[in-house]
Amino acid sequence: MKKFLSIVCFGALMLVAGGLRAQTETLVISEDFNNFTSGSMKNPGAVITSDDTLNAKMQNPGWTSYYLYPAGGVLKLGTSSVAGNVRTPQIDLSGNGGNFVVRFKAMAWYHDSTTVKIIVNNNETYYVRGLRNDVQTDSLNPSYLTEFAFYCSSGTDTSQIRIKGVGEKNSRFFLDDFSVSTFSGEVVTFNPAVLTFNMVLENTTATANVFVKGYNLSNDSYPVVLSGTGFSSTVTTISKANLLAGYNIPVTFSPTVIGDYTGTVTVNGVQANLVGHCVGVVEVPTLAELKTKLDYCGNYVQEEDAQIYKYTGEATVTSAGVNTYHYHYLTIQDETDAILVFDKTGSFISNFSRGQSLTNLQGTLTNYFGCLEMVPVLAEPTLVNPFADDVEPEVVTYEQMTDNDYMCALQSRLIAIEDSKITSTGTFAAAKKYIVTNG
């Protein structure tokens, strides 16, 4: 029977020097992927479909893969709709009681999932969290890869390790410098290595767990020490039994002033970093005012504003759907203007549909190469009316449509083009161009 287990551990490179690394390690297998030279992280090469082609580039035979792309000495795994993976050959991890550590460098595709799976012996699934996903595609390069260390204690003489995207959609990631070693000696590991609280409002609280696990322990109990303004925990000591089994330490972040906070949680001399971001919210009553907060017309760059805005007016949903990358979107319009709401997570707007009205929409603004988007955060907006009044479309002429400034001012609004004929045939579909003529 397959087992799906809670997170075990991983550590960022900066924690290795703080005591995370085992006392003694014996290397079993390593791959630097230097032979995967075609393409780049910005523009990967062609997908590798043959295990023979894959293993001709590996330093050790017996690897298998699915949706793996060479990326200039790095591996790219997965597409926007398919989770990729790579699996080691059978290796002997039975030494030192089956204790082993997997080390690798990784990062996620821009805005994709920050979690990957590690599947051990095809029946134990663990999750490694904290991959970086904030580097835009045009800026991708190996210097952004972060080192992770995953510890486990179920090694056998025929073990296989597979690393895979966490979900079928939007779980692309890069992989480099992969190794597996057995280890001995006392080890304590944290997951995540950096526990981050994003967008917590001032004078509120947020609680999250950091998972800690020990190996080859000698003491009966271990103190838990937190440092840093705004951070606290109800746990002060962990028994040896709980630490060997793995234990979730609850950490509460209680900021009182807008700004950035840092701290640590320490067990047996090993630290996980704590990071908190306390934010305020600027309320805006109309969409017209909201759209003045970030320059976008004719500004063909990608720019993100970290400020959170709260739209307090009432707007009607004029369209709703999911794009080809499986991201949810709405267009909403009030008496003053309209805006596109773009939600990659689907956590905030997936329950809304055309014809409803909403308020209390909180989010940040993004200029996506001239298209202004509001990216929802913190909470779902409030449904005001499930059957709102229809929005009257604004009539636009063909001459006006050729005026970029005029059309930019109407961005995201519902429009009508009169005396028109669609020459294309068939059913309407997303991401498809249609030819319209004036008569």
Side-chain angles (χ1 to χ4, degrees):
M1 179 182 296
K2 289 186 177 181
K3 295 187 289 183
F4 293 89
L5 307 180
S6 61
I7 302 166
V8 172
C9 56
F10 74 88
L13 177 60
M14 60 185 173
L15 290 183
V16 171
L20 185 62
R21 189 180 294 274
Q23 290 181 358
T24 303
E25 294 186 11
T26 301
L27 182 66
V28 178
I29 191 171
S30 67
E31 293 285 349
D32 57 21
F33 309 125
N34 286 346
N35 294 326
F36 293 82
T37 54
S38 63
S40 66
M41 291 179 67
K42 300 177 187 179
N43 185 24
V47 63
I48 292 178
T49 58
S50 163
D51 288 343
D52 289 339
T53 302
L54 174 71
N55 284 287
K57 298 178 181 295
M58 290 290 192
Q59 295 161 283
N60 302 273
W63 289 76
T64 60
S65 68
Y66 186 66
Y67 278 87
L68 180 150
Y69 301 80
V74 176
L75 302 185
K76 182 236 176 184
L77 293 144
T79 70
S80 63
S81 59
V82 178
N85 72 79
V86 63
R87 186 175 66 176
T88 69
Q90 287 190 351
I91 50 180
D92 186 356
L93 299 178
S94 60
N96 294 320
N99 293 328
F100 65 91
V101 55
V102 180
R103 299 185 184 279
F104 57 92
K105 293 179 181 178
M107 71 177 295
W109 189 268
Y110 184 55
H111 279 179
D112 271 17
S113 174
T114 58
T115 301
V116 295
K117 293 179 182 179
I118 290 186
I119 303 171
V120 179
N121 300 330
N122 208 36
N123 63 358
E124 295 179 5
T125 299
Y126 304 89
Y127 296 88
V128 174
R129 307 179 194 277
L131 276 68
R132 187 171 182 175
N133 75 341
D134 61 338
V135 181
Q136 296 182 14
T137 306
D138 287 344
S139 300
L140 288 171
N141 69 72
S143 67
Y144 292 112
L145 294 164
T146 302
E147 184 174 346
F148 294 90
F150 162 79
Y151 287 77
C152 194
S153 57
S154 58
T156 70
D157 59 357
T158 56
S159 287
Q160 287 185 295
I161 311 297
R162 180 157 47 121
I163 185 166
K164 180 181 180 181
V166 71
E168 290 304 316
K169 300 174 182 177
N170 306 319
S171 59
R172 293 163 288 186
F173 68 99
F174 296 97
L175 182 69
D176 198 12
D177 294 339
F178 180 95
S179 69
V180 185
S181 302
T182 59
F183 71 87
S184 61
E186 188 166 297
V187 174
V188 171
T189 65
F190 281 99
N191 185 31
V194 180
L195 181 63
T196 302
F197 295 86
N198 280 316
M199 296 185 178
V200 179
L201 296 176
E202 56 184 325
N203 297 313
T204 65
T205 63
T207 299
N209 292 327
V210 58
F211 187 85
V212 62
K213 184 174 173 61
Y215 300 85
N216 305 322
L217 302 176
S218 56
N219 297 339
D220 292 332
S221 63
Y222 293 81
V224 177
V225 180
L226 267 76
S227 68
T229 301
F231 299 103
S232 62
S233 179
T234 57
V235 175
T236 59
T237 304
I238 305 175
S239 69
K240 176 181 178 179
N242 284 339
L243 192 52
L244 285 171
Y247 192 84
N248 280 314
I249 301 174
V251 177
T252 299
F253 177 47
S254 307
T256 57
V257 179
I258 295 173
D260 295 332
Y261 295 69
T262 59
T264 59
V265 54
T266 304
V267 176
N268 199 30
V270 180
Q271 291 183 347
N273 289 330
L274 306 175
V275 177
H277 303 291
C278 176
V279 297
V281 176
V282 175
E283 294 190 356
V284 290
T286 67
L287 293 180
E289 181 179 342
L290 179 63
K291 293 179 75 170
T292 66
K293 303 299 183 181
L294 186 64
D295 180 30
Y296 65 96
C297 273
N299 189 18
Y300 302 115
V301 297
Q302 187 167 356
E303 181 182 5
E304 299 176 0
D305 182 0
Q307 176 62 55
I308 299 175
Y309 298 95
K310 182 177 182 180
Y311 169 67
T312 59
E314 181 179 344
T316 299
V317 179
T318 55
S319 68
V322 180
N323 71 7
T324 54
Y325 295 102
H326 314 288
Y327 303 145
H328 291 261
Y329 69 86
L330 303 175
T331 51
I332 60 173
Q333 186 165 335
D334 65 9
E335 294 179 351
T336 67
D337 214 323
I339 197 169
L340 172 66
V341 184
F342 191 70
D343 180 11
K344 283 195 170 187
T345 69
S347 302
F348 300 105
I349 63 173
S350 59
N351 293 325
F352 286 86
S353 57
R354 185 169 64 87
Q356 297 178 332
S357 64
L358 56 80
T359 188
N360 296 330
L361 174 63
Q362 301 176 98
T364 59
L365 294 176
T366 296
N367 170 29
Y368 188 72
F369 302 99
C371 178
L372 184 64
E373 303 170 347
M374 189 173 192
V375 181
V377 298
L378 298 178
E380 288 187 13
T382 303
L383 176 65
V384 177
N385 189 342
F387 305 104
D389 294 335
D390 290 337
V391 173
E392 189 69 25
E394 184 161 347
V395 177
V396 177
T397 67
Y398 279 84
E399 290 73 18
Q400 290 170 327
M401 290 180 67
T402 62
D403 185 334
N404 288 336
D405 292 338
Y406 181 84
M407 292 305 295
C408 188
L410 297 184
Q411 189 179 104
S412 298
R413 293 193 198 181
L414 190 65
I415 65 171
I417 310 169
E418 296 182 341
D419 300 322
S420 298
K421 179 180 180 181
I422 299 176
T423 60
S424 303
T425 60
T427 57
F428 284 103
K432 184 178 179 181
K433 294 181 180 180
Y434 294 90
I435 299 173
V436 181
T437 62
N438 56 344

